Amino acid sequence: MATYLDFESSIKTIQEDIISAQVRHDEGLVVSLKANLDKEVSKIFSNLSPFQQLQLARHVDRPYALDYINLLMRDKYEIHGDRHFREDSAIICYLGYIGDEKVVVIGEQKGRGTKNKIKRNFGMPHPEGYRKALRAAKLAEKFNLPLLMLIDTPGAYPGIGAEERNQSEAIARNLLELSVLNTPSVSVVIGEGGSGGALAIGVADRLAMMRYSVFSVISPEGCSAILWNNPAKVEAATNAMKITSSDLKELGLIDAIINEPLIGAHRDRDAAADAIKEYFLGEIANLRMLSNEERMQQRYKKLTGIGAFSE
């Protein structure tokens, strides 16, 4: 059963009416209701607040990395383990085809249902997850395969075991190694991009965000607890933090916004996957028009230009 947020209640009502009309085979009413639905979607989703966009980024029905991988890839083969400690299911890595391109895809997977969420550690990777991701990225470099990274995590796992196995070093190593990785790479925030957990697979030639995704240094809940000592001020924190795709594009921190369906990826997964595919293949084609030296220099300028300002 579909889950609706508070501001989607009118959409839920219309969609239930459409189903009822379809059961009665009242085609005229179905057409009329669908027109009303389009108007209501345009009205609501064209004026979303940052907090509402945060809710969409965390929507339980929103496609996760594995959903996109299953929609985008064919003849895929999963890569397991970091060859140092163990398999981390919060990070998934696949070798396969997107269209006619042989590619490597790395994603952060949150999981659905209690058992799967526990298996995936709620999308919070351990150090071995990031080391597995780096191993997959190095495989892509070795065979000169394009690399696609799908970001969706509340953050890296902050547990004692993760710290004992050098969580910060694993993230820092990925930042270093991905910055000099000699193969075309694209990173896309598909849902929630949280702190260093997102940055660890966010260094690429192109960094894009889905329309309703968010990218932040800390969760709004954490921000409100620190600044106001009041976790209830989440909405105020979200508005102040500038974490939406449009905010980050305006600040020059991302390269593009991928226009998922206006009603949201959680209502039209196929169209959302097609949007990612079109962006990824288009950018890979553009990057291949550059020499290795030009591509690496362009990446260097982009990374070192973040945070620059003049008075």
Side-chain angles (χ1 to χ4, degrees), residues 162-216:
E163 296 299 331
E164 287 175 340
R165 296 190 299 280
N166 279 335
Q167 181 73 286
S168 59
E169 187 278 336
I171 293 173
R173 175 64 58 183
N174 276 27
L175 297 179
L176 172 64
E177 297 285 357
L178 291 176
S179 69
V180 296
L181 194 75
N182 192 17
T183 196
S185 57
V186 173
S187 192
V188 178
V189 184
I190 58 173
E192 189 177 9
S195 192
L199 287 176
I201 61 168
V203 178
D205 292 305
R206 298 288 185 268
L207 173 59
M209 292 176 66
M210 300 291 282
R211 189 204 301 262
Y212 302 130
S213 63
V214 295
F215 202 179
S216 62

Side-chain angles (χ1 to χ4, degrees), residues 61-63 68 210 212 260-261 263-269 272:
D61 294 333
R62 190 170 179 85
Y68 283 122
M210 300 291 282
Y212 302 130
E260 63 182 271
I263 198 171
H266 59 296
R267 300 280 179 243
D268 194 345
R269 295 185 178 192

Side-chain angles (χ1 to χ4, degrees), residues 10 20 26 35 39 48 53-54 72 88 120 156 159 186 205 211 238-240 260 288 295:
S10 59
S20 178
D26 190 340
K39 290 178 183 177
L48 293 174
Q53 291 191 50
L54 174 67
L72 290 171
D88 183 358
R120 304 290 182 183
V186 173
D205 292 305
R211 189 204 301 262
T238 305
N239 294 336
E260 63 182 271
R288 284 207 170 119
R295 178 168 46 79

